[in-house]
């Protein structure tokens, strides 16, 4: 089956290159790296060879090198970068079962075939290798999406795709399992950033390379009247009491291990050696107390 083209991948890379040239707005990425370091600190093992898959800057690879958990880091960069391998997160240029750890921060939400990318990452990992990723989730920029949709409908009488669709947490765990990862774990970190107005938010999005790169986007620029109306709607519907506006960024975290015989496995039905009643300290058949009851 042909993967639907949601994103214009060459445009995604050009937008990122422009953002890096103009000064990348890295506040979300800094937060993600700090979270990555905390997550790795709970893993009681070291990794000989790690792979950074498409993180917008080298900040994650640099953090891995400083961590003491990793001996060598290979970085796959989506744009030309000294000391890194230029490549695409949808087509990893590595042989199978090579890496002990793979990370990807704020990159995989922009691929057309997320299941395919996860499968390639899993194949690049050795048995009992760990993958940790972070991507933007479905609640990201919900205020901006609603404001643009309403403004375009009012001013132009129709709606065109303006903000990319993001992954839903409920789907990510299933995607990890489909890709062949064991022990999958997902969670979210919701970040609320306040701006003076919608135009300040849009400047930051440009400096993160997150402006519209949808494959089926309207090729003509947004009308000034539509843009102004969107800013008005944003302030009216979502503005705080002090006149500033909030912008929501949902960071979805996902992790999984490549299967290995040493990993914990669920018990077979009927194989338990302790009765549930004994574990609860009650007699067999005795009523149990539900949560919220005294």
């Amino acid at each position: 089956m042909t993967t639907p083209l949601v994103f214009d991948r060459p445009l995604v890379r050009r937008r990122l290159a422009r953002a890096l040239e103009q000064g990348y707005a890295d506040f979300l990425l800094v937060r993600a790296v700090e979270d990555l370091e905390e997550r790795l600190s709970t893993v009681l093992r070291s990794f000989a060879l790690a792979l950074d898959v498409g993180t917008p800057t080298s900040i994650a690879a640099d953090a891995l090198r400083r961590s003491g958990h990793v001996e060598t880091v290979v970085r796959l960069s989506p744009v030309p970068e000294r000391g890194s391998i230029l490549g695409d997160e949808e087509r990893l240029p590595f042989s199978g079962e090579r890496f002990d750890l793979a990370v990807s921060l704020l990159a995989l939400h922009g691929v057309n075939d997320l299941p395919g990318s996860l499968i390639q990452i899993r194949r690049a990992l050795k048995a009992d290798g760990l993958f940790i990723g972070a991507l933007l989730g479905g609640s990201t920029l919900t205020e901006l999406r609603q404001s643009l949709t309403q403004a375009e409908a009012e001013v132009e009488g129709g709606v065109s795709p303006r903000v990319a669709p993001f992954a839903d947490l409920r789907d990510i765990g299933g995607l990890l399992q489909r890709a062949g990862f064991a022990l999958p774990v997902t969670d979210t970190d919701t970040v609320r950033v306040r701006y003076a107005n919608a135009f300040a938010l849009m400047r930051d999005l440009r400096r993160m390379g997150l402006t519209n790169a949808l494959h089926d986007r309207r090729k003509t620029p947004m009308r000034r009247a539509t843009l102004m109306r969107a800013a008005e709607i944003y302030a009216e519907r979502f503005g705080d009491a002090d006149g500033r506006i909030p912008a929501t960024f949902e960071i979805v975290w996902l992790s999984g291990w490549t299967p290995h015989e040493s990993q914990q496995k669920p018990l077979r039905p009927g194989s338990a050696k302790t009765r549930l009643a004994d574990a609860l300290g009650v007699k067999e058949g005795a009523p149990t107390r539900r949560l919220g009851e005294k």
Side-chain angles (χ1 to χ4, degrees):
M1 295 178 63
T2 302
T3 301
L5 293 178
V6 178
F7 300 98
D8 183 336
R9 293 289 296 163
L11 182 59
V12 169
R13 290 188 287 271
R14 291 199 300 272
R15 294 274 169 83
L16 176 58
R18 182 184 66 182
L20 293 169
E21 290 174 1
Q22 295 178 349
Y24 186 82
D26 65 354
F27 61 93
L28 283 181
L29 196 51
V30 168
R31 184 183 181 106
V33 169
E34 292 173 350
D35 204 340
L36 173 67
E37 291 175 320
E38 182 177 346
R39 291 165 188 267
L40 281 175
S41 70
T42 66
V43 181
L44 303 179
R45 61 176 285 186
S46 58
F47 302 93
L49 185 61
L51 172 65
D52 173 10
V53 183
T55 301
T57 75
S58 65
I59 185 173
D62 295 339
L64 290 176
R65 295 185 179 104
R66 295 191 306 267
S67 68
H69 286 277
V70 180
E71 296 178 18
T72 304
V73 180
V74 175
R75 171 161 158 74
L76 182 75
S77 175
V79 297
E81 177 185 279
R82 179 174 296 184
S84 300
I85 299 171
L86 178 64
D88 192 325
E89 304 93 302
E90 293 187 317
R91 291 185 292 276
L92 301 189
F94 304 108
S95 58
E97 300 185 1
R98 177 178 176 184
F99 299 94
D100 304 284
L101 170 69
V103 302
S104 180
L105 303 185
L106 304 187
L108 294 178
H109 52 259
V111 301
N112 287 307
D113 184 9
L114 180 56
S117 293
L118 292 175
I119 289 171
Q120 291 182 64
I121 291 171
R122 192 260 302 161
R123 289 175 176 170
L125 288 166
K126 297 177 182 178
D128 204 31
L130 173 62
F131 168 61
I132 302 179
L135 62 159
L136 294 178
S139 297
T140 298
L141 300 176
T142 181
E143 304 92 348
L144 180 61
R145 281 185 284 177
Q146 294 179 53
S147 300
L148 287 172
T149 297
Q150 182 178 337
E152 197 164 21
E154 289 181 11
V155 176
E156 304 184 30
V159 176
S160 60
R162 291 287 182 184
V163 179
F166 296 110
D168 192 299
L169 176 65
R170 294 171 295 182
D171 300 328
I172 294 296
L175 291 180
L176 284 169
Q177 291 180 316
R178 283 175 52 193
F181 284 101
L183 309 175
V185 176
T186 61
D187 60 272
T188 64
D189 176 23
T190 300
V191 184
R192 188 174 183 266
V193 185
R194 299 207 315 148
Y195 288 92
N197 50 55
F199 302 108
L201 166 61
M202 293 176 192
R203 282 193 294 271
D204 258 6
L205 295 179
R206 189 174 299 110
R207 292 176 56 220
M208 286 189 280
L210 292 180
T211 49
N212 191 357
L214 294 173
H215 183 271
D216 294 331
R217 68 194 180 283
R218 196 174 73 179
K219 302 305 189 288
T220 56
M222 182 181 293
R223 296 181 189 176
R224 177 178 175 80
T226 304
L227 191 58
M228 297 300 293
R229 179 58 183 143
E232 291 175 355
I233 294 170
Y234 203 133
E236 293 167 359
R237 292 186 58 184
F238 304 105
D240 293 332
D242 61 359
R244 299 179 70 83
I245 62 165
T248 299
F249 296 91
E250 181 188 22
I251 302 177
V252 176
W253 284 93
L254 56 159
S255 65
W257 297 80
T258 47
H260 189 266
E261 60 184 9
S262 66
Q263 294 166 356
Q264 292 182 331
K265 296 177 176 61
L267 293 173
R268 297 189 307 275
S271 63
K273 297 181 180 180
T274 302
R275 297 185 309 157
L276 178 60
D278 294 337
L280 294 175
V282 299
K283 294 182 178 180
E284 190 80 38
T288 57
R289 189 173 62 195
R290 292 182 295 178
L291 289 176
E293 293 183 342
K294 294 184 178 180

